[in-house]
Amino acid sequence: MNKKTRVAVFVSGSGTNLQAIIDANIPNVEIVVVVSNNPNAYAIERAKRHNIPVEVIDHRNYSSREEFEREIIKKLEPYRVDLIVLAGFMRILSPFFVRAYKNRIMNIHPALLPAFPGVNAVRQALSYGVKYTGCTVHFVDEGVDTGPIILQSVVPVYDDDTEEKLLERIHKEEHRIYPEAIRLFAEGKLHIEGRRVFIRD
Amino acid sequence: MNKKTRVAVFVSGSGTNLQAIIDANIPNVEIVVVVSNNPNAYAIERAKRHNIPVEVIDHRNYSSREEFEREIIKKLEPYRVDLIVLAGFMRILSPFFVRAYKNRIMNIHPALLPAFPGVNAVRQALSYGVKYTGCTVHFVDEGVDTGPIILQSVVPVYDDDTEEKLLERIHKEEHRIYPEAIRLFAEGKLHIEGRRVFIRD
């Protein structure tokens, strides 16, 4: 029997990407813990409904980012995590944390990186006037939304789009490519060379 | 009879986009002049073959950008140009020139702007590791590749791509969307609001 890939999903909010990953039932992947910095995140309910252990680590209880992150690392230890998946996790991870899980942290961003990094990516895209945007799954490096790209998906921007309509179109693609990226990781198919990620058997 | 839209195409090199625009035979569009800053540009041969007047204005004969551009404006005058189309024109136009033809200069860029502006856009995209890139037709404003976007087209980047293979895939799309953007301009369907371009009847 193959060893399952043990995944921790980090959340702060409603957890729709968490739900998509749960629903994808990825072979040989087990979500072993959900970590939330927000004790009121709806994602916690989703985890409980699926009997996934939850660790709430409220950043407001820690005097520094490093203290907060040391606590996360400590809490993660017994779960022997192979991969951390950021799913709407609203805290920036420091280089200290990123180095501890080098090439084992994924994030999803609602734009075709390197376009529109940072917050309000959908609003940024809409007001810039691009005709296509999308979403990007990438490994997390020490910058903000700068790490090696694993998968992207493209969606059109229509003349009569609102931020809400466009976001909905992007979310649909996120819920498709995030589980796909995790599957590729679990199957050992992702190979990082410099800043490029190649998919190989 | 509708008045034809009078187009000047600016070139510096081989002129494959010029050829695509000629071949598209856009209704109600007449290429009234080809301007080259390079006396040896192969694009000049293409223009002559189609009996399009050519003005060679060699930037090396002028002591400043402004002097060079004043000469272009003077040479263009008798052609009564409605639209300037940059097709591999390798000189940056100053704010002075851009203001003289405000919202009447188009450029095409081999990337999905705002990603990878400036030179070597295809190489930039490849080494960044994006999974999709493409091309962008935009109005020229006073920045480099920053003007309002008219049309974009997306192409995939494959793991085994070379710069040449990827460039070829992008060029194919350029030759499709550049004539399309000129047609929309000629039909009066492009409406600029802020930095967004809407297509309306």
Side-chain angles (χ1 to χ4, degrees), chain A residues 129 131 159, chain B residues 103 106 139 148-150 181 184-185 187-201:
Chain A
K131 303 304 182 187
D159 278 3
Chain B
N103 294 341
M106 278 185 194
F139 285 113
I149 293 172
I150 301 164
L184 290 167
F185 181 93
E187 291 175 349
K189 289 188 177 164
L190 300 178
H191 296 268
I192 307 181
E193 288 177 27
R195 19 176 329 109
R196 296 187 67 183
V197 181
F198 295 97
I199 298 171
R200 287 195 191 128
D201 284 323

Side-chain angles (χ1 to χ4, degrees), chain A residues 77-96:
Chain A
E77 219 164 289
Y79 295 101
R80 294 171 292 114
V81 163
D82 299 307
L83 175 68
I84 293 173
V85 169
L86 308 183
F89 185 65
M90 297 305 284
R91 309 303 298 170
I92 288 175
L93 296 169
S94 73
F96 160 75

Side-chain angles (χ1 to χ4, degrees), chain A residues 1-34:
Chain A
M1 201 179 87
N2 280 338
K3 184 188 159 296
K4 284 202 172 189
T5 296
R6 301 172 64 82
V7 174
V9 180
F10 283 28
V11 298
S12 300
S14 70
T16 59
N17 268 311
L18 168 64
Q19 191 68 56
I21 295 162
I22 292 170
D23 293 346
N25 248 315
I26 312 164
N28 287 315
V29 165
E30 187 179 352
I31 305 173
V32 293
V33 62
V34 166

